[in-house]
Amino acid sequence: MLARSAALVATGTTAAVLLRGKDGSLGPNMLLLTCAYAALAVVLVVEVRRHRAGERSSVGKVVVAGCSAGLLVLAVAVPPAESGDVWAYAWYGRVVAHYHANPYTTPASHHPNDKWSEHVDRVYKNTNSVYGPVFTAVSGAGMLVFGFSFLAARLFFQMAAAACVAAAMFIVWRRTRSPAAVAIIGLNPLVVVSVVNGAHNDAWVGLAVLAGVVLVTRERLRWAGLAFAAAAMIKVAAVLPLLAVGVWVWRNKGWRPAAQMGTAAAVAGVVGYAIVGGTTAIEPLRAAQLHFSGPSVWKGPNRWLGGHGLSRWIATTATATVVALTLFLARRRLEHVDPALVAGGAVFAYCLLGPYVLPWYVFWGLGAFALAWRSRLTWLALLHGAVLHLAYVPDPEIHGQPLDRLFLRSPLQRFQLDLFQVWVPLLEVAIIVAVIVWSLQRPRRPSNAVY
């Protein structure tokens, strides 16, 4: 009964945030989201205890499925509440479908009189596409068919995100038969508000990574390589789970299967990028490498040292530490029966140490984590995602203003800025230290362990 009530609370509070829309004030939205995350935590704690006691789930698959479906429908029905990225997506697709041009060299500022260009957020006006060939193909096709109105285009990208999330929930259910595992996705405010309502293509990445993990467990290694390649051809950082799972396959199945998966991914990636322009499509990524998000652990060092021309060195160091943490987390979980935590850990490493991280990036590994929903690493990832989301809740009073020009009127605004710039980086450092220490100290576990 407690788990069902908590599921309903999570559903109601998340729905309230969606209905408040982009003009919803900061205080109530943060309170609603905090309640939603707390309710989701109650659901998971209750389900873990019942699982350990050998009892049946108390939340019920019907409750989770019904609440999740309702939230997904509502998330598509209302305009994005937190992000305007959908209009940048629409613009890149319009460049392909309408102008028959290259989105990697044609920012919105090149066509200032185009009504679609006017909708693109100011910060992206001069930004070329940083997304891979899979995104370019899908967005171009979408705008060719649905580019006749802003509403149709928005619904296309939102429905694509919702379909990917629904597919991920279905796969997780088929693999786990656990309502709690499905709730990690379907009742998660980050997924509903940031990913689906925000229409973010990170939903596509998360589904592809999850599909790759499942295909590996089914010995379909070439297809797994193609799935991981598809994820990387949407956002290139998704090459990390491919690397981590490749290590797992090499350790557990031998170098030939690992080579099969890696070769399939490499060939698909080379062909895909060659079609959309080769190095031209990669060039925007080099510029994006020097961007640092506020909650990143690298933002402070870049602020202190970037003016001395060290930004590229800092970015390179960040990339190296992400790869190192990815390999460390993978190595400590090579004996697990499947690579779910290996793939999820790779994404978690990026979210903790990446130079530019946004809340919806968490979804890249969330489906894989849901397969091992009782793992402490999964719970740490959920905690980090929740705090990161709260740090990014937009405030209509100050949204869009540069940080150095902000005039913070209330203690709540100052608290969120501190959360954004101080507490999230400190939490990330604490999680990194805890994961490393715990991983080094934990005893060897049998191959079917979830921890």
Side-chain angles (χ1 to χ4, degrees):
M1 189 64 181
L2 177 60
R4 294 188 181 187
S5 299
L8 294 176
V9 170
T11 303
T13 49
T14 303
V17 172
L18 292 172
L19 292 173
R20 286 171 57 80
K22 65 178 182 179
D23 296 324
S25 52
L26 176 63
N29 276 355
M30 289 193 71
L31 178 60
L32 288 168
L33 287 172
T34 301
C35 290
Y37 282 117
L40 177 59
V42 170
V43 172
L44 298 180
V45 169
V46 171
E47 291 301 296
V48 165
R49 290 180 176 178
R50 294 185 71 89
H51 184 276
R52 289 176 177 173
E55 301 174 357
R56 294 182 59 185
S57 169
S58 63
V59 66
K61 63 181 181 181
V62 174
V63 172
V64 172
C67 291
S68 299
L71 287 175
L72 290 182
V73 170
L74 182 60
V76 171
V78 301
E82 295 183 347
S83 169
D85 287 1
V86 64
W87 305 120
Y89 293 178
W91 172 254
Y92 298 137
R94 180 170 172 78
V95 168
V96 176
H98 180 75
Y99 291 105
H100 307 292
N102 191 330
Y104 302 105
T105 58
T106 312
S109 60
H110 283 196
H111 298 275
N113 296 323
D114 189 305
K115 63 180 182 178
W116 291 89
S117 171
E118 296 173 358
H119 266 63
V120 177
D121 284 351
R122 176 178 54 83
V123 294
Y124 299 125
K125 291 285 188 182
N126 294 299
T127 302
N128 296 316
S129 175
V130 294
Y131 307 115
V134 168
F135 171 82
T136 297
V138 175
S139 62
M143 289 302 291
L144 181 65
V145 177
F146 300 101
F148 56 87
S149 76
F150 293 122
L151 175 61
R154 170 176 72 80
L155 291 176
F156 165 72
F157 286 105
Q158 285 181 314
M159 291 180 68
C164 289
V165 169
M169 288 192 294
F170 177 75
I171 293 172
V172 169
W173 171 253
R174 289 289 301 271
R175 298 287 296 183
T176 66
R177 297 294 178 179
S178 169
V182 177
I184 283 177
I185 300 175
L187 299 184
N188 194 326
L190 187 150
V191 176
V192 176
V193 180
S194 289
V195 178
V196 177
N197 181 247
H200 284 111
N201 57 17
D202 304 87
W204 315 2
V205 178
L207 177 61
V209 170
L210 175 60
V213 169
V214 173
L215 287 167
V216 166
T217 63
R218 294 183 176 180
E219 306 288 342
R220 308 290 294 275
L221 296 173
R222 290 189 178 89
W223 285 104
L226 294 178
F228 284 118
M233 285 191 287
I234 300 167
K235 288 195 170 180
V236 71
V239 75
L240 288 169
L242 169 62
L243 172 64
V245 174
V247 173
W248 184 92
V249 172
W250 168 71
R251 176 65 178 270
N252 290 275
K253 300 181 183 297
W255 69 268
R256 288 183 183 277
Q260 291 177 0
M261 187 180 77
T263 300
V267 170
V270 169
V271 171
Y273 271 98
I275 292 174
V276 296
T279 57
T280 301
I282 298 175
E283 190 61 31
L285 294 173
R286 298 183 62 187
Q289 185 187 19
L290 300 181
H291 295 166
F292 297 83
S293 57
S296 170
V297 296
W298 304 102
K299 181 67 173 180
N302 183 66
R303 185 166 56 245
W304 304 324
L305 303 174
H308 300 284
L310 297 176
S311 291
R312 190 166 294 280
W313 179 85
I314 295 171
T316 301
T317 302
T319 301
T321 56
V322 168
V323 173
L325 184 58
T326 295
L327 293 176
F328 174 82
L329 293 178
R331 181 176 178 274
R332 302 302 298 182
R333 289 156 183 83
L334 290 179
E335 296 180 359
H336 285 209
V337 71
D338 65 52
L341 280 180
V342 171
V347 174
F348 195 25
Y350 182 84
C351 291
L352 290 173
L353 282 173
Y356 193 85
V357 177
L358 296 169
W360 38 92
Y361 291 9
V362 174
F363 190 77
W364 303 350
L366 197 59
F369 271 134
L371 296 178
W373 65 277
R374 291 177 290 121
S375 166
R376 282 173 282 184
L377 192 65
T378 298
W379 285 54
L380 284 175
L382 290 173
L383 171 63
H384 178 249
V387 176
L388 191 64
H389 186 193
L390 291 173
Y392 270 97
V393 174
D395 185 347
E397 294 184 11
I398 61 176
H399 186 57
Q401 298 182 40
L403 287 177
D404 57 353
R405 298 181 183 177
L406 285 182
F407 177 70
L408 303 180
R409 303 177 182 178
S410 70
L412 180 59
Q413 291 174 335
R414 290 192 290 272
F415 166 77
Q416 192 191 34
L417 184 61
D418 287 341
L419 182 67
F420 188 81
Q421 294 184 319
V422 179
W423 296 112
V424 173
L426 288 177
L427 173 65
E428 290 167 344
V429 171
I431 289 175
I432 292 168
V433 172
V435 167
I436 292 175
V437 172
W438 164 64
S439 295
L440 291 175
Q441 293 179 345
R442 72 187 182 94
R444 294 175 63 88
R445 293 179 180 269
S447 61
N448 63 346
V450 297
Y451 294 99

